[in-house]
Amino acid sequence: MPSSDYLLADAELDPAASNDRNTPFLPGHMGLEITRIGRDGAEGGFTIAKHHHAPNGFLHAGSLVTLADSLCGMACMASLPASASGFTTIELKSNFFATALEGRVHGIASPIHLGGTTQVWDCDVTHFDTGKRLALFRCTQMVLRPRKA
C-alpha cells in the first residue's frame, strides 16, 4: 500500500526518531533501543543493567514484557490504516523460558493478524549474545477510530 494509506508517513518510521520519542517514557527509562521499525514489525533491545533485575537478582519479567509490548506497539502504530486514530492493547500473554543476568536482550515483533478492528502481534525475545530464547509474547491491539460527531 502507498504511504498515504497509513496513519504514519514513511518518514516517521525512523528508529532514531522512535528512540527520541521514547526518552521521557518507560521504554526510555528502561534503556530500550529501537533498531528497526516498519509496517512488517520492529526490532530492538536493551543492555541488562541492575534496574532490569528483580530483588531476587534475576532479570525482572516486566523488563522483557516492556520490551516486547513496546516493540509490538510501535509496529502496530506503523501499520495502522490512515482511517485509524490509534490503538490500545486489549490482551497480552507472555511465556518465559530462561533468564539472563548480563549482556543484551533482543526482541523481534512480527504481525500475526492485521485486521480492520484488531491486530495480533508476536515478539520473540532472546539473549542477543547467546541466541537463547528468553520469552515469547503475544498481544492483541484494538484499532481505534475517530469519534463521529
Side-chain angles (χ1 to χ4, degrees):
M1 286 196 294
S3 176
S4 60
D5 291 346
Y6 293 99
L7 184 61
L8 297 181
D10 288 346
E12 295 176 274
L13 305 182
D14 175 54
S18 293
N19 290 327
D20 287 345
R21 278 192 302 274
N22 286 337
T23 297
F25 303 105
L26 183 59
H29 175 74
M30 297 289 295
L32 185 111
E33 297 172 272
I34 305 304
T35 57
R36 185 185 76 79
I37 185 165
R39 304 198 195 285
D40 63 340
E43 291 186 48
F46 60 83
T47 300
I48 299 170
K50 187 155 183 84
H51 66 268
H52 295 111
H53 289 213
N56 66 4
F58 290 101
L59 185 61
H60 196 293
S63 295
L64 299 181
V65 171
T66 298
L67 170 63
D69 189 49
S70 297
L71 291 172
C72 290
M74 288 178 220
C76 176
M77 192 69 185
S79 67
L80 287 175
S83 60
S85 61
F87 74 93
T88 190
T89 302
I90 57 175
E91 185 269 342
L92 61 83
K93 178 189 183 318
S94 298
N95 292 101
F96 301 98
F97 305 105
T99 192
L101 302 178
E102 58 187 16
R104 186 151 179 85
V105 173
H106 184 75
I108 300 174
S110 305
I112 302 302
H113 166 75
L114 299 177
T117 56
T118 61
Q119 293 190 5
V120 177
W121 290 84
D122 279 358
C123 189
D124 192 9
V125 181
T126 61
H127 190 275
F128 187 78
D129 305 319
T130 66
K132 182 184 243 183
R133 177 176 279 149
L134 302 177
L136 286 175
F137 176 90
R138 175 167 283 181
C139 64
T140 303
Q141 314 288 13
M142 179 174 31
V143 177
L144 302 176
R145 305 290 176 176
R147 290 182 156 206
K148 296 182 181 180

